[in-house]
Amino acid sequence: MGRISAQERRESVIRAAVAEFARTGYHGTSTAAIAKRVGVTQPYLFRLFPDKKAIFVAALVRSMEDTRLAFERAAERAEGGEGVLQAMTNAYAQLISTSPGTFLMQMQGYVAVAAAEAQGDDLIGEIVRAGWMRIWETVHQPLGADADKTASFFACGMLGNALTAIGLPASAWK
């Protein structure tokens, strides 16, 4: 097997970080756990990222972008109208069932905003708000820029997120 480039290794660190942070949050995740999952040393992690916070931010950005891309691809494949709404709903259901770390990472990001801002650190909040607005726009435009439809879509999605996060099976609430 050939050598893995620094960019490929960085990508594997981000994916491992999503999995670890999604499971145990910012404060509950050690860089040692991320390094172990990737199969590298901690010093190598810090050659790729300046600190734990930078790893967390990269994982958060990745999870939000993966969600945004799932909606974008679904909307592009849909026929329009209600087909777009159903396609994006199905795409999100597929994403959280096959990659639960993606949505759990975002939930951890929401929690981290309040904790960081209470300590005077606005970076994570800025990242989350910008990511959320990109996701909103990706959904809003294909829904005809209808604010009520978009808000309803996200309200149902966030309810699904909360119920999934607490382990309630979809069959119990559908």
Side-chain angles (χ1 to χ4, degrees), residues 7-91:
Q7 185 58 34
E8 291 169 321
R9 185 68 75 189
R10 190 176 202 290
E11 288 299 313
S12 63
V13 168
I14 292 170
R15 293 288 177 196
V18 167
E20 291 295 327
F21 287 126
R23 196 170 53 80
T24 55
Y26 181 78
H27 293 291
T29 299
S30 68
T31 55
I34 296 167
K36 181 178 180 183
R37 182 180 280 265
V38 179
V40 299
T41 64
Q42 278 182 286
Y44 188 80
L45 281 184
F46 295 116
R47 279 187 252 156
L48 299 172
F49 297 91
D51 55 25
K52 179 180 172 180
K53 182 175 160 185
I55 299 169
F56 183 79
V57 166
L60 187 54
V61 167
R62 173 55 49 80
S63 69
M64 295 184 90
E65 183 62 8
D66 286 351
T67 300
R68 192 196 69 73
L69 286 171
F71 291 140
E72 181 178 83
R73 290 177 188 129
E76 288 171 353
R77 289 189 305 264
E79 299 295 318
E82 288 301 309
V84 171
L85 181 65
Q86 191 59 54
M88 288 191 293
T89 299
N90 293 344

